[in-house]
Amino acid sequence: MAEKQGSGLASFKQQELKAWQPVLTPVAVIAMLLIVFVVFLPIGIVLEDCSNRVIEQSIRYDNIGACDQVTADLDHTQLPKTCELNDIELLHDFEPPIYFYYELKNFYQNHRRFTKSKSDPQLRGDGNQEQTSPACDPLEKYRSDIIVPCGLFPGSFFEDRFTMEYQLPDSQTPDAYIPLCSYTTPGDPCYFWGNNTAGWNNGSNGWSGWHVEGDWQKEGIAWTTDKESKFKFNALEGNEINQGPRQNQTGLNLPRADDEDFIVWMRAAALPDFRKLHRVIHDTRLPKGTKVNIKIASWFPTKDFGGEKWVTIAKTEWCGGANHALAW
């Protein structure tokens, strides 16, 4: 049956549907631009003011002391290298919550081959051997065992660990610093185990711990949606291993899939210079003039690709961190 001329279907097929075609006269264009200007100017002013109220201090550490010696050639008998950032004077009042970040520069975490080298079913707990091949290529197996978690993305996990201590400006005891995470004895949560790999791999008392609730808090640094639906832990079985070639070199095991430091690492950064949340200080106020020492255990090499490592102490606002580009 022939379609009637002027029917909706015929008009659609003949691309004759009615449409509004505005006449863009100079007056109309100027009016539209003025409306956009009036709407977005106050939004930009508010965002710029919010960004200006964000306070932070950043310090590079991969060129300090023994941390300057970390390269991809070192093994577990030579790692970690330890160094300290001493007597850093805070230039602002930091009210809790205070955020402690690590930063990497010139590290392309968004490279397509890098970001796709992982098994999402394995990470979300569907099974340690679910869809590992070819998803995890070229790091699916190590010594004939399935790596858990497998792939280039998990296998490059950022290993460095930090602890911080402070001295308030009105302290009556020179050189008396208060640790946010104690580190002096093997029972302390942030103890430096030297090149004792058994100590570093000792569960919550080792490298995967390094946190104190309230003062150096790890819980809550990852997105709730990631923790609830994207990352689940399954115990290792006979032909599965939590080490790849990088971990065999450093002596550290890969973290569990539900470890929040690992979950933060697995959210790929869009740019080669990025920061990731490491710890949150909830219970301590650090006023202007406070002196801070940051002690570091360093495994992660950056010299081989011309990168840099920084740490940042920051106090955010309702709009998040400083983002002047969004305001402008």
Side-chain angles (χ1 to χ4, degrees), residues 206-249:
W207 165 78
S208 63
W210 278 58
H211 63 93
V212 174
E213 185 175 356
D215 279 334
W216 198 239
Q217 187 157 318
K218 177 178 178 179
E219 183 180 359
I221 64 172
W223 290 16
T224 301
T225 52
D226 288 349
K227 293 187 291 183
E228 291 178 349
S229 59
K230 294 184 179 180
F231 295 89
K232 301 292 182 182
F233 171 71
N234 281 327
L236 298 178
E237 297 182 356
N239 63 335
E240 298 165 357
I241 188 173
N242 58 353
Q243 280 198 347
R246 170 64 185 167
Q247 289 69 45
N248 182 65
Q249 182 180 2

Side-chain angles (χ1 to χ4, degrees), residues 198-210:
W200 286 114
N201 290 319
N202 185 22
S204 61
N205 291 325
W207 165 78
S208 63
W210 278 58

Side-chain angles (χ1 to χ4, degrees), residues 159-288:
E159 306 113 331
D160 289 8
R161 284 294 177 264
F162 313 89
T163 184
M164 193 169 88
E165 57 186 10
Y166 66 94
Q167 182 187 65
L168 296 174
D170 57 355
S171 174
Q172 302 298 317
T173 308
D175 301 325
Y177 282 81
I178 303 170
L180 292 170
C181 185
S182 301
Y183 57 87
T184 55
T185 65
D188 289 337
C190 290
Y191 181 69
F192 288 76
W193 292 94
N195 60 2
N196 179 358
T197 56
W200 286 114
N201 290 319
N202 185 22
S204 61
N205 291 325
W207 165 78
S208 63
W210 278 58
H211 63 93
V212 174
E213 185 175 356
D215 279 334
W216 198 239
Q217 187 157 318
K218 177 178 178 179
E219 183 180 359
I221 64 172
W223 290 16
T224 301
T225 52
D226 288 349
K227 293 187 291 183
E228 291 178 349
S229 59
K230 294 184 179 180
F231 295 89
K232 301 292 182 182
F233 171 71
N234 281 327
L236 298 178
E237 297 182 356
N239 63 335
E240 298 165 357
I241 188 173
N242 58 353
Q243 280 198 347
R246 170 64 185 167
Q247 289 69 45
N248 182 65
Q249 182 180 2
T250 62
L252 298 176
N253 295 330
L254 280 164
R256 292 168 40 137
D258 59 355
D259 183 281
E260 292 201 39
D261 282 321
F262 176 73
I263 295 173
V264 169
W265 174 255
M266 291 299 293
R267 183 163 286 276
L271 301 174
D273 298 346
F274 59 88
R275 67 176 57 167
K276 290 184 180 284
L277 183 59
H278 183 69
R279 294 294 181 267
V280 183
I281 304 168
H282 286 286
D283 295 343
T284 303
R285 177 179 180 271
L286 301 177
K288 180 180 179 180

Side-chain angles (χ1 to χ4, degrees), residues 37-53:
F37 170 76
V38 170
V39 170
F40 285 97
L41 177 62
I43 296 175
I45 292 174
V46 170
L47 290 176
E48 178 67 11
D49 176 68
C50 182
S51 293
N52 288 334
R53 285 187 283 110

Side-chain angles (χ1 to χ4, degrees), residues 78-89:
Q78 303 161 295
L79 293 170
K81 298 296 185 182
T82 58
C83 59
E84 298 183 15
L85 299 169
N86 291 323
D87 295 329
I88 303 165
E89 184 172 342

Side-chain angles (χ1 to χ4, degrees), residues 90-109:
L90 300 184
L91 304 178
H92 308 277
D93 290 324
F94 285 84
E95 300 286 344
I98 304 167
Y99 298 95
F100 185 93
Y101 300 88
Y102 62 85
E103 296 187 35
L104 286 176
K105 297 190 176 182
N106 201 38
F107 187 93
Y108 288 81
Q109 201 183 29

